[in-house]
Amino acid sequence: MNSLKIRFTENEMKNEKTPAEQLVFGTKFTDHMFVADYTEGTGWHDHRIVPYQALTLDPSASILHYGQTVFEGMKAYLSEDGIVRLFRPEQNMKRMNISADRLSMPQIEEELALEALKQLLEIDKEWIPKEQGTSLYIRPFMIATEAHLGVSASKTYTFIIIMSPVGSYYKEGIHPVKILVESEYVRAVAGGTGTAKTAGNYASSLKAQEVADREGYAQVLWLDGLERKYIEEVGSMNVFFKIDGEVVTPALNGSILDGITRKSIIELLKYWGVPITERKVSMEEIREAFLNGKLDEAFGTGTAAVISPIGELRWKGELFYVNNGETGELSQKLYETLTGIQRGVIEDPFGWVVELKK
Amino acid sequence: MNSLKIRFTENEMKNEKTPAEQLVFGTKFTDHMFVADYTEGTGWHDHRIVPYQALTLDPSASILHYGQTVFEGMKAYLSEDGIVRLFRPEQNMKRMNISADRLSMPQIEEELALEALKQLLEIDKEWIPKEQGTSLYIRPFMIATEAHLGVSASKTYTFIIIMSPVGSYYKEGIHPVKILVESEYVRAVAGGTGTAKTAGNYASSLKAQEVADREGYAQVLWLDGLERKYIEEVGSMNVFFKIDGEVVTPALNGSILDGITRKSIIELLKYWGVPITERKVSMEEIREAFLNGKLDEAFGTGTAAVISPIGELRWKGELFYVNNGETGELSQKLYETLTGIQRGVIEDPFGWVVELKK
């Protein structure tokens, strides 16, 4: 691992920055991007930070037909103290390699990728918005580039990091959303690619989301593909419930993404001494908890929203309200603590935060 | 539908053609390609035949992250009589729209796409190899191009047709392959995207193929994702068995691709009066048929190979041989009849073949 391996070409044409309040998620990108190429036999080469620019791909490039691609999502925060912070970035790089293995793609050099990210952040530091709730969204991804129409693993790949300033997920403060429990479509099944952060899972989810949108729901809740009974994820987030004082979340079963926010919440709850169990959670259990007045709280977790409280669930025509459609106490506390740690305003007892040199 | 809508820019630099015997599947492309763009609100526009060229995509383009892409595979044949023939091309365009719907992508204009393909074939006619067993492989595909990192359907798309001269699938005549029955990985499950020709299904399959390769097997046989008992597909082909004189193939169940070769074989067998049933087929049934000496034939079906006879199946350590590892009589007859119809040397009683004007 040698940071000198990274060549730098400056962007002479600086892009104009958008005021924080006008930022739309994932539409505006910083001046530079990191790129490295992989060739079978040679390995990774040509590590470079270059002006943000279009990619050129042969029309037969493997990614366009056979979908070999993996990605990660993470954020950099700039606080009042002028320090740039990352949240558990090594976990993202590690997970990217787990995803890559499932997709028959090469392993990235985790430490070098992290070093590249730090250099890229240093170069595009001015792009990190400072305002409360804002951040710089970071998207590392790898695509298969071989010009070959054949169902086999590509012999060449490109690894890229792009970054996008994003506004506050909650423009008017954290608030609960309405969720539709999906009965027709399935996100993933054990033996498939559900545990990998790969394009196919997201492509597959759009149709259900379309229906949910139409019916006025923010996201769908995915049930297992086998029995259509057990809860898996909500939208592209992991999901937690507080039932009769106990917090439960679906156990990692081979079709659920091993979320970094999910993992952090479990660790935080244990640290606080709040009972938390990873196990199978059925919709029938949620229904009964609701009917018995024991469905205290429900929330999705992920990098984009951190915590997304659920105020209402619709399942087979029945409506289950959670905490009278208000954000629960625990959801609020988890949100404030996690975002506080991420921004450096709350002490980090776990060593999660990586501070960049000023 | 108006063919005058298609603008033509000639490729001044003609590519060199590869001799038929040196052709490798899907690596060499003709001089031109068809392209059309789609914008939400405007619809399809800018239909054009242009020199085969690289695509430029923003690094945040939807296809690279969220996998909205569908494709088709078809072939054009040039026979002794100088006529170019397509095999049921309207079926491919129709299926592309079924796939597109599942992926929340816009519908293509089927008739215009077919007209565009015919014009493209006329322009690049010299690229269609004549030799026995060769053909021009045609790949229509659509990708999501919006520069936006967000899990939602893209607002812009590009539809492209590229073409690649391909050599004979069977260089030394049709011969049976060894198949490994897959027990760990799953291709698709009902409610997922198994019935759509989309990248994620293929990306997901590579890991199992890697294992099969290593153990000396040509392809994997996929079992259902729910009970891991019932046969779904073999590699990226549909599959048929002849058991005790009856032909059976897995029924379309929501996770199996509705293959055009599969459909044609069913119609051909019915025409011949050979008993053919679409139903659930378990591996246990195949095992028993083998043990009772009733596993007459087995073969995969698809556009690339047409018929791919299976000579051996491995399931949970047991080996089942089919027809002593020889190509069965029915498999051979189906192969000769279908390829004969496709090349215009056997009469087509079904109206499957579309001949291009000379």
Side-chain angles (χ1 to χ4, degrees):
Chain A
M1 208 279 295
N2 178 353
S3 66
L4 294 179
K5 280 171 78 175
I6 303 170
R7 178 165 51 81
F8 174 46
T9 309
E10 195 173 350
N11 192 341
E12 306 284 333
M13 302 263 292
K14 298 287 187 270
N15 282 311
E16 207 177 311
K17 295 175 185 68
T18 308
E21 66 280 10
Q22 290 170 27
L23 287 169
V24 175
F25 191 91
T27 52
K28 183 95 185 182
F29 297 90
T30 70
D31 289 324
H32 299 88
M33 62 194 217
F34 172 74
V35 185
D37 296 313
Y38 179 93
T39 309
E40 199 179 82
T42 310
W44 289 104
H45 57 88
D46 222 357
H47 304 73
R48 58 205 187 267
I49 290 174
V50 293
Y52 186 89
Q53 60 194 273
L55 308 176
T56 56
L57 286 170
D58 194 272
S60 70
S62 193
I63 166 69
L64 306 177
H65 305 267
Y66 305 118
Q68 268 188 301
T69 176
V70 293
F71 71 86
E72 277 299 326
M74 52 208 290
K75 284 178 173 175
Y77 307 88
L78 178 61
S79 307
E80 302 287 308
D81 58 12
I83 294 173
V84 178
R85 290 178 174 82
L86 291 167
F87 185 71
R88 313 186 81 174
E90 74 292 345
Q91 293 281 335
N92 291 91
M93 299 308 179
K94 191 177 150 195
R95 186 172 62 184
M96 189 154 182
N97 272 338
I98 294 170
S99 299
D101 179 66
R102 178 61 186 85
L103 275 295
S104 296
M105 298 172 79
Q107 296 287 291
I108 61 160
E109 303 151 296
E110 294 178 26
E111 278 181 59
L112 181 57
L114 207 47
E115 173 59 28
L117 172 57
K118 287 177 185 174
Q119 287 191 28
L120 187 60
L121 280 167
E122 182 56 40
I123 290 166
D124 281 345
K125 190 174 168 179
E126 282 173 33
W127 281 92
I128 314 177
K130 267 195 199 71
E131 291 75 3
Q132 179 66 28
T134 65
S135 60
L136 189 70
Y137 183 78
I138 299 160
R139 170 59 57 94
F141 66 107
M142 195 204 314
I143 55 173
T145 55
E146 191 184 354
H148 175 212
L149 292 184
V151 185
S152 58
S154 175
K155 291 185 169 60
T156 57
Y157 298 86
T158 299
F159 171 71
I160 300 173
I161 304 176
I162 54 176
M163 308 195 298
S164 169
V166 296
S168 180
Y169 193 87
Y170 297 106
K171 291 219 181 341
E172 292 150 23
I174 182 171
H175 66 271
V177 293
K178 291 162 66 180
I179 300 293
L180 181 63
V181 181
E182 176 57 43
S183 298
E184 183 179 357
Y185 298 105
V186 167
R187 180 186 167 273
V189 71
T193 56
T195 58
K197 253 187 123 63
T198 184
N201 299 334
Y202 298 84
S204 167
S205 77
L206 296 173
K207 189 77 184 168
Q209 182 61 41
E210 213 178 80
V211 177
D213 277 348
R214 214 157 41 217
E215 304 198 7
Y217 288 83
Q219 298 275 358
V220 299
L221 184 141
W222 298 104
L223 298 182
D224 76 287
L226 304 185
E227 300 180 66
R228 312 274 179 118
K229 281 183 186 171
Y230 299 100
I231 293 167
E232 299 236 319
E233 296 192 12
V234 58
S236 51
M237 294 185 280
N238 293 116
V239 64
F240 287 74
F241 298 90
K242 186 166 166 242
I243 301 172
D244 201 16
E246 185 204 14
V247 183
V248 294
T249 190
L252 301 177
N253 61 354
S255 56
I256 294 175
L257 188 78
D258 184 4
I260 294 161
T261 310
R262 175 186 183 279
K263 182 182 306 198
S264 304
I265 283 167
I266 293 171
E267 291 175 40
L268 196 51
L269 290 172
K270 285 183 177 165
Y271 180 77
W272 286 343
V274 176
I276 161 76
T277 315
E278 298 175 68
R279 61 167 168 82
K280 278 190 169 189
V281 184
S282 72
M283 262 317 292
E284 193 50 46
E285 179 182 352
I286 298 302
R287 180 176 179 273
E288 278 171 28
F290 168 71
L291 294 176
N292 298 326
K294 291 179 172 173
L295 185 56
D296 307 334
E297 301 190 30
F299 53 93
T301 70
T303 294
V306 184
I307 300 284
S308 175
I310 296 170
E312 177 186 325
L313 285 158
R314 195 178 90 194
W315 184 44
K316 297 179 177 172
E318 279 188 281
L319 290 178
F320 311 139
Y321 299 98
V322 188
N323 197 38
N324 299 314
E326 306 282 317
T327 298
E329 200 182 319
L330 183 67
S331 309
Q332 186 74 39
K333 188 178 168 194
L334 281 166
Y335 179 74
E336 281 167 13
T337 308
L338 268 180
T339 56
I341 290 173
Q342 288 166 341
R343 307 189 69 83
V345 296
I346 289 180
E347 201 204 343
D348 167 19
F350 307 99
W352 286 341
V353 169
V354 174
E355 296 188 354
L356 266 63
K357 276 182 225 105
K358 226 175 171 171
Chain B
M1 208 278 295
N2 178 354
S3 66
L4 294 178
K5 280 172 77 174
I6 303 170
R7 177 165 51 83
F8 174 47
T9 310
E10 194 173 353
N11 193 340
E12 306 284 331
M13 303 262 292
K14 299 285 188 271
N15 283 309
E16 207 177 312
K17 295 176 186 67
T18 308
E21 67 279 10
Q22 290 170 30
L23 287 169
V24 175
F25 192 92
T27 52
K28 182 96 185 180
F29 297 89
T30 69
D31 288 325
H32 298 88
M33 63 194 217
F34 172 75
V35 185
D37 296 313
Y38 179 93
T39 308
E40 199 180 81
T42 311
W44 289 104
H45 56 89
D46 222 357
H47 304 72
R48 58 206 187 266
I49 291 174
V50 293
Y52 186 90
Q53 60 195 273
L55 309 176
T56 56
L57 286 169
D58 193 272
S60 69
S62 193
I63 165 69
L64 306 177
H65 304 269
Y66 305 118
Q68 267 188 303
T69 177
V70 293
F71 71 86
E72 277 300 324
M74 52 209 292
K75 284 176 173 175
Y77 308 87
L78 177 61
S79 307
E80 300 289 309
D81 57 12
I83 294 173
V84 178
R85 290 179 173 84
L86 291 167
F87 185 72
R88 313 187 79 174
E90 74 291 346
Q91 293 281 332
N92 291 91
M93 300 307 180
K94 192 177 149 195
R95 186 172 62 183
M96 190 152 181
N97 272 338
I98 295 170
S99 300
D101 180 66
R102 178 62 185 86
L103 276 295
S104 296
M105 298 172 79
Q107 297 289 291
I108 61 161
E109 303 151 295
E110 294 179 28
E111 278 180 59
L112 181 57
L114 206 48
E115 173 60 29
L117 171 58
K118 287 176 184 173
Q119 287 192 28
L120 186 60
L121 280 167
E122 182 57 38
I123 291 166
D124 281 344
K125 191 174 168 180
E126 281 173 35
W127 281 91
I128 315 178
K130 267 195 201 69
E131 291 76 3
Q132 178 66 30
T134 64
S135 60
L136 189 69
Y137 183 79
I138 299 160
R139 169 60 57 93
F141 65 107
M142 195 206 312
I143 56 172
T145 56
E146 191 185 353
H148 175 212
L149 292 183
V151 185
S152 57
S154 176
K155 291 186 169 59
T156 58
Y157 297 87
T158 299
F159 172 71
I160 301 173
I161 304 176
I162 55 177
M163 309 195 297
S164 169
V166 297
S168 179
Y169 194 87
Y170 297 107
K171 290 217 180 346
E172 291 149 22
I174 183 171
H175 66 272
V177 293
K178 292 160 66 179
I179 300 292
L180 180 64
V181 181
E182 176 58 42
S183 299
E184 183 178 357
Y185 299 106
V186 167
R187 179 186 167 274
V189 72
T193 57
T195 58
K197 253 187 123 61
T198 183
N201 299 334
Y202 299 84
S204 167
S205 77
L206 296 172
K207 188 78 183 169
Q209 183 61 40
E210 212 178 80
V211 177
D213 276 348
R214 215 156 41 217
E215 303 196 8
Y217 287 83
Q219 297 276 0
V220 299
L221 183 140
W222 299 104
L223 297 182
D224 76 285
L226 304 185
E227 300 181 65
R228 313 274 179 117
K229 281 183 185 167
Y230 298 100
I231 292 168
E232 299 236 321
E233 297 192 13
V234 58
S236 50
M237 294 184 282
N238 293 116
V239 65
F240 287 74
F241 298 90
K242 187 168 165 241
I243 300 172
D244 201 16
E246 185 205 15
V247 182
V248 294
T249 189
L252 301 178
N253 61 355
S255 56
I256 293 174
L257 188 78
D258 184 5
I260 294 161
T261 311
R262 174 186 182 279
K263 181 181 307 198
S264 305
I265 283 168
I266 292 171
E267 292 174 39
L268 196 51
L269 291 172
K270 285 182 177 165
Y271 181 77
W272 286 344
V274 175
I276 161 74
T277 314
E278 299 175 68
R279 61 165 168 85
K280 278 190 170 189
V281 184
S282 72
M283 263 316 293
E284 192 53 43
E285 178 182 354
I286 298 302
R287 180 176 180 270
E288 277 171 30
F290 168 72
L291 294 175
N292 298 327
K294 291 179 173 172
L295 184 56
D296 306 335
E297 300 191 32
F299 52 92
T301 69
T303 295
V306 185
I307 300 283
S308 176
I310 296 170
E312 177 186 325
L313 286 158
R314 196 178 90 195
W315 184 43
K316 297 179 178 172
E318 277 187 281
L319 289 178
F320 312 139
Y321 298 98
V322 188
N323 197 38
N324 298 315
E326 306 282 319
T327 298
E329 202 182 315
L330 183 66
S331 310
Q332 185 75 39
K333 189 179 167 194
L334 282 166
Y335 177 75
E336 282 167 12
T337 308
L338 268 180
T339 56
I341 290 173
Q342 289 166 341
R343 309 187 68 81
V345 295
I346 289 180
E347 202 205 340
D348 166 20
F350 307 100
W352 286 341
V353 169
V354 174
E355 296 188 355
L356 267 64
K357 277 183 223 102
K358 225 175 172 174

